[in-house]
Amino acid sequence: MISGLEAGIGPRQLTRAAQWIFGIPIVFSFTNSLLGIGLPDPVMYLMTYVLPDPWHCRFVLLLVAAAIEISDMALMQGEKDYETRVHELVKSIGDRLRAGAAVETAVAEACRDTDGPSEVFADAIERSDAMPFDLALREAADECGSAYLQEVCYLIAEAVRAEGDIGGAIRRLGMELERNHQYQEKVNAKIANPLMVLRAVGLFAVPPLYGILRWSFNNFTGGGLKLEPGAMLFFLYGALAITVYDGLIFGQWERLFARMPLAVAAVYVGLHTPHLIGSLF
């Protein structure tokens, strides 16, 4: 059950808050070191109490950043599953209404067959004791934490208020929402897949390759690994640019500090791959 998507504050909101709470300090720590700003770094200060080797600390922070991104992916998949449940619930309500059931009865029976969004409809049934069901559904939708479910509830409430062939209208609504959702997923996939490849190459392939080549070249002059400030700034800019596309293209700005920590950490660790390998092995 994906609860928390239908409440003002729930697991979804708490997960997003945790991602930002852990993500922002990680981004600051790696950015501060990449640019050589020299500001106090509370993250590394605390980490060195547990792991004296700074490179071990950096590696652990990289793993934490990866865990944050995995939690973001799980959250996004949960939202997709939630919307699928909404469609199934709407179609189920429509089928029961077409079979001759009363509105409240159809909703109650449909809620028994699903979870997640059904809590909002169950809440509307309880409120309908004191007001018409369409008003109760609007009121329950106003308090849910899902803008998508709120829009769907308003459409169902409008159909109920208009009367007529309610069952057929709600059934068609569920099917149309499902088709729109599938089309949107296809369009998003066509945009996201190339960007995913770009992100993988730009963050996990190019920085380590550059760091190793630079270290190999410098070994001929006995200089060790020396990275130019311009190169580090360029890779940092690439990490930020690749990450903000979630907001620019999809409007998902809440994912910013769920995905940026891994981007910045991967660039920093990749550029310093020789140092990391030396400290670990």
Side-chain angles (χ1 to χ4, degrees):
M1 174 179 177
I2 311 176
S3 60
L5 288 173
E6 55 278 323
I9 298 178
R12 176 181 181 275
Q13 290 75 20
L14 294 176
T15 300
R16 283 295 183 206
Q19 290 170 348
W20 282 58
I21 290 172
F22 287 98
I24 291 176
I26 292 176
V27 171
F28 168 79
S29 178
F30 283 104
T31 302
N32 184 41
S33 183
L34 265 174
L35 299 181
I37 300 175
L39 294 175
D41 190 342
V43 175
M44 288 298 294
Y45 179 77
L46 295 174
M47 289 287 293
T48 50
Y49 274 101
V50 182
L51 299 170
D53 190 331
W55 285 106
H56 291 173
C57 298
R58 292 296 184 189
F59 184 70
V60 171
L61 289 177
L62 175 65
L63 295 180
V64 174
I68 293 175
E69 177 139 349
I70 291 173
S71 70
D72 173 71
M73 295 170 61
L75 194 59
M76 295 303 295
Q77 184 60 47
E79 292 181 0
K80 293 179 182 178
D81 294 340
Y82 184 84
E83 292 181 0
T84 300
R85 288 188 173 96
V86 172
H87 306 152
E88 294 299 326
L89 179 58
V90 173
K91 290 190 294 183
S92 180
I93 293 173
D95 288 338
R96 285 170 169 78
L97 287 172
R98 288 198 300 178
V103 175
E104 289 83 352
T105 303
V107 172
E109 291 177 351
C111 289
R112 289 201 299 265
D113 297 334
T114 185
D115 54 14
S118 63
E119 294 187 7
V120 177
F121 288 90
D123 183 28
I125 292 176
E126 294 181 2
R127 296 170 187 257
S128 65
D129 293 336
M131 64 183 74
F133 179 76
D134 61 305
L135 296 179
L137 185 57
R138 292 174 186 269
E139 189 176 285
D142 289 338
E143 299 177 6
C144 79
S146 170
Y148 184 76
L149 179 58
Q150 183 182 29
E151 182 179 358
V152 172
C153 288
Y154 267 64
L155 292 173
I156 294 177
E158 186 64 27
V160 172
R161 189 179 66 85
E163 298 181 347
D165 184 15
I166 301 175
I170 293 179
R171 172 69 183 184
R172 287 192 296 271
L173 171 63
M175 295 177 65
E176 188 64 27
L177 290 171
E178 187 175 45
R179 282 194 294 266
N180 291 341
H181 180 75
Q182 292 172 351
Y183 177 75
Q184 181 183 4
E185 288 298 314
K186 291 180 181 179
V187 173
N188 288 346
K190 290 180 179 179
I191 300 174
N193 289 341
L195 291 174
M196 186 182 302
V197 174
L198 174 64
R199 191 168 191 260
V201 173
L203 299 181
F204 302 101
V206 177
L209 180 61
Y210 176 83
I212 292 173
L213 290 176
R214 191 63 186 172
W215 171 78
S216 178
F217 176 79
N218 287 345
N219 272 345
F220 287 105
T221 60
L225 179 61
K226 291 183 179 179
L227 300 172
E228 298 85 353
M232 291 190 288
L233 179 61
F234 171 78
F235 281 107
L236 177 61
Y237 168 77
L240 299 179
I242 292 173
T243 304
V244 298
Y245 75 79
D246 286 312
L248 294 175
I249 298 178
F250 303 111
Q252 298 170 339
W253 291 106
E254 72 277 4
R255 303 182 68 190
L256 185 62
F257 283 101
R259 292 168 62 83
M260 191 176 292
L262 181 59
V264 179
V267 166
Y268 182 90
V269 174
L271 291 174
H272 296 85
T273 297
H275 286 164
L276 180 64
I277 294 176
S279 67
L280 295 178
F281 304 101

